[in-house]
Every structure is written in C-alpha cells, then in structure tokens.
Amino acid sequence: MAGATTIVQLRVSDVRFPTSLEQHGSDAMHTEPDYSVAYVVIETDGGHEGYGLTFTLGKGTEVVVCAVEALSAFVVGRTLQEIVGDFRAFYRLLTSDGQMRWIGPEKGVIQLATAAVLNAVWDLWARVEGKPLWKLLVDMEPRKLVSCIDFRYITDALTEEEALDILVKAQEGKCQREEEMLRDGYPAYTTSCAWIGYSDQQLKELCTKALSHDWTRFKVKVGADLQDDVRRCRLVRQMIGPDNTLMIDANQRWDVQEAITWVSHLAEFKPLWIEEPTSPDDILGHAVISKALAPLGIGVATGEQCHNRVMFKQLLQASALQFVQIDSCRLGSVNENLAVILMACKFHVPVCPHAGGVGLCELVRHLILFDYISVSASLQNRMCEYVDHLHEHFKSPVVIRNACYVPPKDPGYSTEMREESVRRYQYPQGEVWQTLQATRGHRT
Ligand SMILES: C[C@H](O)[C@@H](O)CC(=O)C(=O)O
Ligand SMILES: [Mg+2]
C-alpha cells in the first residue's frame, strides 16, 4: 500500500426506494418494505473515497443514520493503514467502546451502523489496492485474514489456529477455483418470482421469464395463509417441474410447533429449506424444527436477521440450521462475516448468503466467491440469493450469466451508488419522495 491515507470526513445519507408501491420485497412479516440504505461515504486526504451501506426497510433508517454519525468519531482522523494494520483492534474499538457497547453490544441498530462504516473501510482498502474486494481477500495471506477477525466469544467453537488451518488447507486448488469462478460464475437462486404480495398471474409470468433465463432455483414467500401457500407452492412447483429446486421463506412468522405443522403441509412440494421459520433469536426452537423436519428432507435456513457471530456459533453448535445465510450488512461487515464463514466450514454447514434487499447482491457476491475459492472449496448444496431490483443505482451492478454471479472486476466492494440516485431518492427531501408525497400521499 502506498503512503498514509488519512480519513478526513464521513458522510451518511438516508436513501429510500418506494418498493412497497409494487410489493417488491414483500413477505409474511414485512408487507410494505421500502428498500433503503444508510449510505456512508468516507473521504481521505489523498482524494480516495470508500463507500459503505447497510440495508433497512424504510422507516427507522434515520435511526441507523444517527448511529453511524455516533461512530464516525472512531474513524475520522485515522489512517487506513492504522486501521487495516490491526483490523481486529479497530473492529473491537467500534464494537466494544466502554460507553457505546451499552446500546448493543454487537446487535440491532448499532451493529447495522458498524456494518455500514466498516463496509466503507473495506471498500476503501480494496480500492487503494486496486482490486475487487473478493480478490483482495483471496490474495490475502491466511495469517492476515485471521488477524481481521475478533475471536472473542467464539473460541469454544473456532480458535484462531483452527481458522488458520482451514485457510492454509484451502490454499490447495485455489488458483483453479478462481479460474473456474471467472469462467462459470457462482450459482445463484432467484427470489424475485414470488414475493408474498404478488398475484398468481405475476408468479406465472415471472416464473416463465426466469425459466427462459436458465434459472433453476426458486424461493417462494410463505407464512401468511396456509391455503394461499399451498396454492402458490403448487403453482410454482408445476411451473418449474420436479427437478428444479424450491425453497420457502416464512420470515419469522411462526411459533415453533406451528412452524413444524405448517411446513409439514407444504412438504409435498419438496422444498429444500424452510427459511426463518421462527424468531431469529430462538436457537433451541430452530433446533427442534430442524429435527422435526429432517425426516421430510427439509432443512432450516436462517441468518438474515442473525445479528452476530455468537448467534451463528450457537445455531451451529445446536445443529439448529442446515444452511447459513450470512448477510453483508447485518453482521459487522467483512470482519464478522469471515468469522461466520470459517465457523460454517468447521461445522460442515453450507453458506448460502442472503441478498434480498437493495445493494445486498452487489456486496455479498464478494463474500461467497471468497468462501468458495479460499475456504469451503465446495459448491455442494450452495447457492447465493439473487433479487432483481434496484441494481441500476450502483456503479458496479451485479451481472448474472446463466443464473450465476459473474465475479466483479472493478476495484472495491461494489458499494458505490450513482450520485444521481442518492440525490433523487434521499429521504425525505429527494425529488422522488417529494413527488410521491405531493401526488399519492405515500406514507412517510
Ligand atoms: C423484506 C425483505 O424483502 C425480505 O423478505 C428478504 C428475504 O427474506 C430474503 O430475501 O430472503
Ligand atoms: Mg429471507
């Protein structure tokens, strides 16, 4: 890395897209989501910039913005070299400050804010190195990678030495896997055909279109009404045929027993997994559901609202999930995602990232490429979520080819948004929101 790069400013914006108008992103618990971000820009004295974000659903983004502002004092005035020279210490500084940690620790709004800020730092680092983030990670020495992870609270499941060992072993075949990814891309599944607010007609049209674009894996939202779910799952299964893959997602709608009963009624449609059947905090509940559904061949997937590595640790220790859904903006950025990816590898549980939101596809593709090339070395039972919304607002948007994520080539973490998008969708002063309020009285 060239000379010292001091971070001189951090700016944060509340950017919201009115996706609820057309029910994009809707599920059994979030019926009117306006896909939004707390969007962070850090500037350095040398003219470099880093971009970060965390995902929200509209209302409340201003609270995350406030938390980001509270964290900015830890970042501004520091050099990039100082931060990444001991990234574990910096992660701890942000998450373990003696006063700030009281409003977490490492969960909720403050962890979302940590993700936004650290995503900007990782973006800056990758840009300064002139590499896309996945390549920065893939090229990094194993010892350096583990030095970015805070192992506090997880050493009973994964020690630093074990993490190092996993990374060192996976060096074998790394170059071939990188070539394979550059050639074929990383397998994806689509959630965009079957949001809960879509009509049956929309489901049919979107499935037809997706099938014609080579999609073979489909996720359907369930959990609001059993008869609707039976009808929708039947329709999608008929459309996609017996050999394609179906997943279902309840977004935390049920109690534990209710989840088992409800999903048993949907077993005839052969879902690979039920996602978020119950409260994301109920580790033992997930374990009970996993055990009950295993004989039906249905696994449990969760993670999009799993707020830190300690929760994932317990889910893994309790055999409470069969698919680990990391989230680039829920966990404490790349640092904490590395911890979870390595724990999942140790427990032999596949990582299938969550990406239903604005910007999540852009970011998480970097993490899953790293997982395959440098950690798991397997594609067995693995795929990364894709949703077909709002990519046009990013400078390095996702590219999908043959239903696979094409590895991005631009330096950075693909977090930079188009300036015009940020300006127009800024809440509430952007022209899109001003117009919506004036013409439709869209709730603000
Ligand atoms: C509110 C979000 O769209 C959520 O439904 C996304 C999700 O659960 C997923 O993509 O999975
Ligand atoms: Mg989900």
Side-chain angles (χ1 to χ4, degrees), residues 27 189 219 221 249-251 275-276 304 325 354 385:
D27 63 54
Y189 74 87
K219 192 161 83 186
K221 292 290 179 178
D249 184 358
N251 289 89
E275 181 171 324
E276 290 202 296
E304 67 186 72
Q325 296 184 299
H354 170 243
E385 183 175 18

Side-chain angles (χ1 to χ4, degrees), residues 420-440:
E420 199 199 342
S421 300
V422 175
R423 200 175 50 249
R424 294 187 67 231
Y425 289 89
Q426 198 143 20
Y427 185 86
Q429 67 272 38
E431 70 181 74
V432 169
W433 287 103
Q434 290 295 314
T435 309
L436 272 171
Q437 267 174 292
T439 57
R440 305 179 66 155

Side-chain angles (χ1 to χ4, degrees), residues 7-25:
I7 297 165
V8 291
Q9 205 193 359
L10 183 152
R11 285 179 278 125
V12 54
S13 319
D14 179 340
V15 183
R16 306 187 190 184
F17 299 91
T19 42
S20 63
L21 289 175
E22 292 178 273
Q23 292 282 288
H24 302 318

